[in-house]
Amino acid sequence: MPLQLTLLLLMKYLLISIISLLPFVAFAQSNTIDKVKSYIIHKQYKKANDLISLGLEKSKTDLTINKNALWYYRAKLLSQMYFEKANAVEEEMTDYLNRSYILLEAIAAFQNTCQGTDESYRDMSYRQLGGLHRFLKRIGLRYFEQGDTERSYLNLRWARNCDKFVEKYVDGNVAYEMDTMLIYLTIYTGELTNRNYESRSMYEELSLRGVTEEEMFVHNFMMLVGLEKTKEAESLLKQGLAKYSQSRELVMYMLHWLTTNERYQEAITFVDEHLGLMSGLDAKLYFIKGIAWNRLYDEAMASHQRDASLYFKNSEEAYRKALSISPASFDYAYNLAALYYNKALILDLNQNEPLTKETGEYAQMIQRAEKTLEITMLLKSSDTKVIGALEDIYRRTNQTEKLLKLQKPKG
């Protein structure tokens, strides 16, 4: 047989042999991963770890081995080992810290997978890190509630590491929003555990991201409210206002804080101190002032206080002022209409004789409520509360034509 033909036949056989081996290589890899998964499920952790370690060692010279899969299952193995014991058993701080290295290795293994080329394992690792971020945050908050600020800080810091990594490496086409509140929680618990340097560095990180000091006051206030640290929250808000007296956001948070805590007189005083100081805010300030006087009026009526009529007048005046500045505001018109309508109903209940449209203060309130509700209808014709109140007024005042027109189906 000619030498050339012999060489061609040999090459043909070699090619066939190589091709026939490829499925076995793929099968061998698949078999290894299946074994690892089985070991993890059955908690045979040493066998799983040994098999993963052997595979990673071989991958240094064998490029056909999927390192991403091995790193992913190493992370799964370590995180499962960690959470089986951590936070579920009582242990000294030294033991807790020693155990934490298992978690940190798991996080690092997920991060290694994310930086690999296998999209499937990379995406699964992103999801795992996202889950760890949320879970560790919950654990951190639980420790905070228990008064263990040290373990709270550690878990929040680990959660932040996961969140920060995903944010940095996730595909630009994927929407991902940094967990801002987690940063403030980590800063706060860092300060409580005398990690002032770490906390300062995180503030600097926020500053580099374009977060202003004014915004930091707002976020810290919200974080403290969430932790039910009410005195600290209010103190911080006052510090922010002392430094940024023209901050619309801080002003509105303070008013919300005061009204939510039923400190209406303080809210009214605060409004008076800030009227005319910030462009475009006066209408909202008068509206909030109207709400505060309205609440005081409701309380006074419930306890039969003499000042009820004064509070009503002040609320009416504030609402009307807000509406005069911003006549297209549904909320301003609605609250004023509700003030009139509710007073008319109270007057109706407190009178023995039948009332008509022409009867004294009741008639005045009904007329004002009707006029204001009709204005409100122009701003939002579909509001069921407004429609219901107008129907009631039209019945009370025998305005059949208006009632039928109101009840007529639209379209």
Side-chain angles (χ1 to χ4, degrees), residues 59-322:
S59 71
K60 293 177 182 178
T61 55
D62 186 350
L63 299 180
T64 64
I65 292 175
N66 189 339
K67 290 192 296 184
N68 301 137
L70 293 169
W71 277 117
Y72 176 79
Y73 283 106
R74 166 157 280 180
K76 290 278 286 182
L77 165 67
L78 293 169
S79 55
Q80 183 169 314
M81 288 172 62
Y82 174 77
F83 285 114
E84 266 189 9
K85 297 284 182 66
N87 310 303
V89 295
E90 291 291 332
E91 56 186 351
E92 296 297 323
M93 195 63 205
T94 302
D95 295 328
Y96 189 80
L97 286 171
N98 287 335
R99 192 185 301 282
S100 72
Y101 287 111
I102 300 172
L103 174 65
L104 298 178
E105 284 182 44
I107 292 171
F110 279 130
Q111 291 173 347
N112 278 343
T113 314
C114 289
Q115 292 172 315
T117 56
D118 190 311
E119 288 187 13
S120 175
Y121 283 104
R122 187 174 63 201
D123 291 344
M124 287 193 292
S125 290
Y126 280 139
R127 289 194 290 273
Q128 290 289 334
L129 287 170
L132 276 172
H133 147 225
R134 293 184 291 274
F135 186 60
L136 290 167
K137 181 180 177 181
R138 288 200 298 273
I139 292 173
L141 288 170
R142 190 181 73 197
Y143 275 126
F144 185 87
E145 290 170 0
Q146 294 171 358
D148 192 335
T149 51
E150 179 65 25
R151 295 191 195 195
S152 175
Y153 169 81
L154 290 172
N155 281 278
L156 291 170
R157 182 75 197 198
W158 298 331
R160 171 61 189 150
N161 288 344
C162 294
D163 181 49
K164 187 176 181 179
F165 180 88
V166 175
E167 181 198 8
K168 183 177 180 181
Y169 287 100
V170 75
D171 191 304
N173 297 320
V174 178
Y176 190 84
E177 188 174 347
M178 173 182 69
D179 189 343
T180 308
M181 198 50 60
L182 173 60
I183 297 176
Y184 290 100
L185 286 166
T186 310
I187 289 172
Y188 181 59
T189 52
E191 290 170 346
L192 291 176
T193 54
N194 298 314
R195 291 179 170 89
N196 296 319
Y197 176 80
E198 289 90 335
S199 294
R200 279 197 302 272
S201 68
M202 293 185 81
Y203 274 127
E204 288 170 8
E205 181 185 341
L206 287 169
S207 182
L208 289 170
R209 288 171 173 268
V211 181
T212 66
E213 187 180 23
E214 179 185 334
E215 290 172 315
M216 291 180 194
F217 274 112
V218 171
H219 295 152
N220 269 317
F221 166 73
M222 292 168 65
M223 178 265 297
L224 289 168
V225 170
L227 294 175
E228 298 183 355
K229 297 289 181 180
T230 53
K231 289 182 179 178
E232 289 181 46
E234 184 171 338
S235 175
L236 185 79
L237 198 53
K238 287 178 178 177
Q239 288 175 40
L241 281 164
K243 194 165 187 178
Y244 298 99
S245 58
Q246 302 295 305
S247 168
R248 297 166 68 95
E249 202 168 8
L250 288 169
V251 165
M252 295 312 297
Y253 269 107
M254 177 55 84
L255 282 170
H256 180 72
W257 177 253
L258 293 172
T259 53
T260 301
N261 287 285
E262 300 182 359
R263 291 156 60 180
Y264 302 122
Q265 289 286 4
E266 290 178 64
I268 291 163
T269 301
F270 188 83
V271 166
D272 289 338
E273 290 170 350
H274 289 81
L275 281 168
L277 298 180
M278 287 165 281
S279 176
L281 197 60
D282 278 3
K284 185 159 291 258
L285 290 175
Y286 275 116
F287 177 60
I288 293 170
K289 186 177 180 179
I291 291 173
W293 281 120
N294 202 331
R295 297 291 181 271
L296 289 171
Y297 163 69
D298 292 339
E299 290 177 1
M301 288 296 292
S303 55
H304 307 288
Q305 295 178 29
R306 292 181 180 178
D307 291 332
S309 59
L310 174 62
Y311 296 160
F312 177 90
K313 181 182 176 182
N314 290 343
S315 180
E316 177 189 20
E317 183 181 321
Y319 283 146
R320 289 175 68 87
K321 187 68 176 175

Side-chain angles (χ1 to χ4, degrees), residues 327-344:
S329 171
F330 171 83
D331 289 338
Y332 302 171
Y334 178 83
N335 273 41
L336 179 60
L339 181 71
Y340 293 140
Y341 179 68
N342 290 334
K343 184 165 186 179

